[in-house]
Amino acid sequence: MQTELSKQLGVEHALFGFTPFPAVAAAISRAGGFGVLGAVRYTDPDDLKRDLDWIEAHAEGRPYGLDVVMPAKKVEGVTEADVEAMIPEGHRRFVEDTLAKYGVPELAEGEASGWRITGWMEQVARTQLDVAFDYPIRLLANALGSPPADVIRRAHDRGVLVAALAGSARHARKHKDAGIDIVVAQGYEAGGHTGEIASMVLTPEVVEAVDPLPVLAAGGIGSGQQVAAALALGAQGVWTGSIWLTTTEADLHSPALTRKLLAAGSGDTVRSRALTGKPARQLRTEWTDAWDDPAGPGTLPMPLQGLLVAEAVSRIQKYEVEPLLGTPVGQIVGRMTSESSVQAVFDDLTRGFERAVDRINRIAGRSGPS
Amino acid sequence: MQTELSKQLGVEHALFGFTPFPAVAAAISRAGGFGVLGAVRYTDPDDLKRDLDWIEAHAEGRPYGLDVVMPAKKVEGVTEADVEAMIPEGHRRFVEDTLAKYGVPELAEGEASGWRITGWMEQVARTQLDVAFDYPIRLLANALGSPPADVIRRAHDRGVLVAALAGSARHARKHKDAGIDIVVAQGYEAGGHTGEIASMVLTPEVVEAVDPLPVLAAGGIGSGQQVAAALALGAQGVWTGSIWLTTTEADLHSPALTRKLLAAGSGDTVRSRALTGKPARQLRTEWTDAWDDPAGPGTLPMPLQGLLVAEAVSRIQKYEVEPLLGTPVGQIVGRMTSESSVQAVFDDLTRGFERAVDRINRIAGRSGPS
């Protein structure tokens, strides 16, 4: 499965896998795809360094990349305390009342929240980049707009390609104007921050909007048929994320969450502002229902909402409070019904792709050499 | 573009085109696809007879079908007047106030509303069937659940295949259990009544759920790339609708509406209950905004909403009151940028499909005979 982009990056298959887990990223790259480590949770640069060392030791020299979350708009001189002070008291009460209703225990004294707003702030992302540019990363992706111009320059100086996610053709054109190299077209069905346009419509629109830049299709991809469909739509590769969450190499730290993911159907996700203040697809839970309930206080804008719920989400995850327990994931969750190794998921994608190509050739009346 | 289903129906391409316009249906069949006439607007059986005669005279012997709207749940002995009586006065006032705000003129004395609830009721659909079964239709599609068992039997006795739309795998399995022959998987991005699951995820789910029944993919299809993608996802054909609305053979009776469709982008639709009481994708207008506004009275359940707004929608359409003027249409509306003939749109689909197959073969490293 070779496109110009996969050749440029020196990978066997045009399959990109985004994951917060170094073991998954390395395994995707070893399998012949392109592993991308999500950096948002690394508030301590030493942790990121440790995990990049681990990937270096386990990727067998295959290329990999890093995904950061740099807000497009710079907020000068604003501290976390300033943002904290902007959160209305009623919203804090709503969080506490909801947690109390479900009997969610508190974190231990001094225990850090695993989900911190700081990871969303440009300064932290820059610290991550200072670490990452010491490693031979081949791709830098940004999940929140185009990275700042100096970051793009710094990446290009090191021969690192820059990718950015887009949920509309307009958004994608802005990335192109900013000088990025690859656009990830993030369809409505995708996990995490998404727009309203489904992949079937979005992918070709973005391909046309940023031509000749390569486009990766994201959203709804968990089988070789879906890989073939995304490539038929003009993408130069696929950007997957959800399907790696239930691999044996993934470390969700919560058997209950893994069980919920394996049990969920494609209709069990919701595009909610509950997690960050911007619409992000995630498992629908009683937590997202509470935030989306018109009778409640509603969500706050980014970055307030993320800061408001940070500790609550950590508590829910740590104590595995099932009705509230969720995670960003796409509609493809319905296909994630058993735990398997990254290699097995990868093989399923590549073999399924070949079968889909066979089928499309039969339909087109072509007797290819298959 | 041949699948088992297209062979069974004797058409050259597995391209199904749904349209309310006989001239479009006939042109799709003539071009080598399968035209399906939407019957919902035919409250007078003689009108349907006239238009089926027209198709017979212009389809050059090619197969075609009919699409009816039979509610899955039978409502015994309920008249239109009974339903009228269930509409709250506040909702009627909201309709009148909104029309007055935009200065929408009244219909002339005795002028019929073009959009009638009656077309949604089983009795009317049965009258349509009595007419249609006198014609050599090859397919009967139902947009609202499985048709009643006796209708399926009647169709099968005449060698007519029965199709039904589904927005989820669960819904599709119910159709299979009811004995229908073809499931149309209606993705989130589609025009008209839709669920929340996007085509990329829905199509393969439905294919697996109803195997070995053939599935048609609907939603987001307006180019040959999208046709190829839908077929890669396991569909035995595509079900298109929106893209025929701006063909020269279509007769929207409103140049202003055609202009709006040609100008709209993929982000200019909304899944709203404004038209029928169930979520249906349509152009977003100040009319849908008014119904979706939390400050308003909100929509009524089907069939009340459709009855409530019937005359209002007719008035808006007749007088082309631009801010309120809309129509059911899918996200593919962003691709509909110029009027062309049905044949030209059809050729674009089939040629684009061949190019998409070429591309996917190059990516797969297959040197097919193209």
Side-chain angles (χ1 to χ4, degrees):
Chain A
M1 197 189 309
Q2 284 279 346
T3 63
E4 283 177 48
L5 180 63
S6 65
K7 286 176 202 158
Q8 188 182 354
L9 286 168
V11 292
E12 198 183 338
H13 298 286
L15 292 176
F16 294 70
F18 165 83
T19 173
F21 309 114
V24 176
I28 291 168
S29 288
R30 278 201 311 273
F34 191 96
V36 180
L37 181 68
V40 68
R41 71 191 171 98
Y42 294 99
T43 49
D44 181 340
D46 286 340
D47 290 343
L48 179 57
K49 198 166 163 15
R50 181 200 61 217
D51 283 357
L52 288 174
D53 281 336
W54 195 95
I55 292 180
E56 273 296 305
H58 293 85
E60 299 176 356
R62 309 294 181 94
Y64 62 90
L66 193 78
D67 181 280
V68 295
V69 183
M70 293 190 109
K73 286 183 208 142
K74 198 163 179 163
V75 190
E76 294 281 2
V78 176
T79 67
E80 191 169 321
D82 295 336
V83 181
E84 283 274 6
M86 294 167 71
I87 296 175
E89 197 44 44
H91 280 77
R92 292 197 187 278
R93 250 197 326 273
F94 179 73
V95 170
E96 282 317 312
D97 290 351
T98 308
L99 294 174
K101 185 177 156 194
Y102 289 90
V104 182
E106 302 204 2
L107 296 180
E109 188 74 30
E111 192 176 2
S113 161
W115 172 261
R116 298 302 288 166
I117 182 64
T118 43
W120 292 83
M121 295 181 82
E122 186 178 325
Q123 207 181 324
V124 176
R126 286 187 180 271
T127 319
Q128 292 163 351
L129 290 180
D130 288 339
V131 172
F133 281 137
D134 281 342
Y135 292 80
I137 60 167
R138 297 294 310 279
L139 176 84
L140 174 66
N142 188 26
L144 216 61
S146 309
D150 69 295
V151 171
I152 297 177
R153 264 197 312 275
R154 202 170 154 195
H156 287 170
D157 285 349
R158 284 167 177 73
V160 175
L161 295 178
V162 180
L165 270 67
S168 70
R170 187 186 58 79
H171 197 179
R173 271 188 293 265
K174 283 170 75 174
H175 290 328
K176 188 185 182 192
D177 293 344
I180 69 105
D181 308 294
I182 300 165
V183 176
V184 180
Q186 173 89 337
Y188 166 83
E189 54 274 70
H193 291 129
T194 56
E196 304 242 22
I197 315 296
S199 292
M200 184 71 91
V201 172
L202 181 69
T203 307
E205 276 195 345
V206 170
V207 167
E208 201 175 306
V210 302
D211 182 65
L213 290 190
V215 172
L216 299 175
I221 300 172
S223 75
Q225 292 181 314
Q226 286 151 339
V227 172
L231 296 172
L233 293 172
Q236 285 215 18
V238 298
W239 179 270
T240 55
S242 303
I243 49 162
W244 311 107
L245 289 175
T246 47
T247 55
T248 44
E249 288 91 337
D251 191 4
L252 282 175
H253 294 290
S254 168
L257 181 54
T258 298
R259 279 197 304 274
K260 275 189 109 167
L261 286 169
L262 295 174
S266 58
D268 293 329
T269 72
V270 63
R271 202 170 150 266
S272 167
R273 296 178 187 267
L275 201 55
T276 68
K278 283 185 189 284
R281 185 170 301 286
Q282 51 201 287
L283 278 186
R284 182 179 166 183
T285 66
E286 295 183 26
W287 178 254
T288 62
D289 284 353
W291 285 106
D292 296 335
D293 187 344
T299 53
L300 296 172
M302 183 183 276
L304 301 187
Q305 181 72 14
L307 189 58
L308 170 63
V309 302
E311 192 192 301
V313 170
S314 295
R315 285 165 61 183
I316 292 165
Q317 287 179 349
K318 174 169 180 183
Y319 296 106
E320 299 186 292
V321 184
E322 292 230 24
L324 307 179
L325 190 61
T327 182
V329 73
Q331 291 185 337
I332 197 65
V333 70
R335 212 190 134 78
M336 295 152 51
T337 53
S338 65
E339 284 187 272
S340 12
S341 68
V342 167
Q343 183 71 54
V345 172
F346 201 90
D347 289 346
D348 182 59
L349 290 172
T350 53
R351 288 177 194 151
F353 169 73
E354 295 296 333
R355 283 194 304 272
V357 177
D358 291 345
R359 182 169 186 276
I360 204 95
N361 276 316
R362 280 198 302 276
I363 291 173
R366 303 195 189 180
S367 47
S370 56
Chain B
M1 196 188 310
Q2 283 279 348
T3 62
E4 283 177 49
L5 180 62
S6 66
K7 287 176 202 158
Q8 187 181 354
L9 286 168
V11 292
E12 198 184 337
H13 298 286
L15 292 176
F16 294 70
F18 164 84
T19 173
F21 309 114
V24 176
I28 292 169
S29 289
R30 279 201 311 273
F34 191 95
V36 180
L37 181 68
V40 68
R41 71 192 171 95
Y42 294 97
T43 49
D44 181 341
D46 287 341
D47 290 343
L48 179 58
K49 198 166 163 14
R50 180 200 64 216
D51 282 357
L52 287 174
D53 281 337
W54 195 95
I55 292 180
E56 272 297 305
H58 292 85
E60 298 176 356
R62 308 295 181 94
Y64 62 91
L66 193 79
D67 181 280
V68 296
V69 183
M70 293 190 107
K73 286 181 207 144
K74 199 163 179 162
V75 190
E76 294 282 4
V78 176
T79 68
E80 191 169 320
D82 296 335
V83 181
E84 283 274 7
M86 294 167 71
I87 296 175
E89 198 44 43
H91 279 78
R92 293 199 187 277
R93 250 197 325 273
F94 179 74
V95 170
E96 282 317 311
D97 290 351
T98 308
L99 295 174
K101 185 177 154 192
Y102 289 89
V104 182
E106 301 205 1
L107 296 179
E109 188 75 30
E111 191 176 1
S113 163
W115 171 263
R116 297 301 288 167
I117 184 63
T118 42
W120 292 84
M121 294 181 82
E122 185 177 327
Q123 206 180 324
V124 176
R126 285 188 179 272
T127 320
Q128 292 163 350
L129 290 180
D130 288 340
V131 172
F133 281 135
D134 281 343
Y135 292 80
I137 60 166
R138 296 293 311 278
L139 176 83
L140 174 67
N142 188 25
L144 218 59
S146 308
D150 69 296
V151 171
I152 297 177
R153 264 198 311 277
R154 203 170 153 197
H156 286 171
D157 286 349
R158 282 165 178 75
V160 175
L161 295 178
V162 180
L165 270 65
S168 70
R170 187 186 58 80
H171 197 179
R173 273 188 291 265
K174 283 171 75 174
H175 289 328
K176 188 185 182 190
D177 293 344
I180 68 105
D181 308 293
I182 301 165
V183 176
V184 180
Q186 173 89 337
Y188 165 83
E189 55 272 71
H193 291 129
T194 56
E196 303 242 23
I197 316 295
S199 292
M200 184 70 90
V201 171
L202 181 69
T203 307
E205 276 196 345
V206 170
V207 168
E208 201 176 306
V210 302
D211 180 65
L213 290 189
V215 172
L216 300 175
I221 300 172
S223 75
Q225 293 181 313
Q226 286 151 339
V227 172
L231 296 172
L233 293 172
Q236 285 215 18
V238 298
W239 179 270
T240 55
S242 303
I243 50 164
W244 311 108
L245 289 175
T246 47
T247 55
T248 44
E249 288 91 337
D251 192 3
L252 283 174
H253 294 290
S254 168
L257 182 54
T258 299
R259 280 197 304 274
K260 276 189 108 167
L261 286 169
L262 295 175
S266 57
D268 293 329
T269 72
V270 64
R271 202 169 150 267
S272 167
R273 296 178 187 267
L275 201 56
T276 67
K278 283 184 189 285
R281 187 171 299 286
Q282 53 200 287
L283 278 186
R284 182 180 165 182
T285 66
E286 295 185 27
W287 179 253
T288 62
D289 284 352
W291 285 106
D292 295 335
D293 187 346
T299 54
L300 297 172
M302 183 182 274
L304 301 187
Q305 181 71 15
L307 190 57
L308 171 63
V309 302
E311 193 190 301
V313 170
S314 295
R315 285 164 62 182
I316 293 165
Q317 287 179 348
K318 175 170 178 184
Y319 297 105
E320 299 186 292
V321 184
E322 291 230 24
L324 307 179
L325 189 62
T327 182
V329 73
Q331 291 186 336
I332 197 64
V333 70
R335 214 191 131 78
M336 295 153 52
T337 53
S338 64
E339 284 187 271
S340 12
S341 69
V342 166
Q343 183 70 53
V345 171
F346 200 90
D347 289 346
D348 182 59
L349 289 173
T350 53
R351 288 175 194 155
F353 170 73
E354 295 296 332
R355 282 194 304 272
V357 176
D358 290 344
R359 183 169 184 278
I360 203 96
N361 277 317
R362 279 197 303 275
I363 291 173
R366 304 193 188 181
S367 47
S370 57

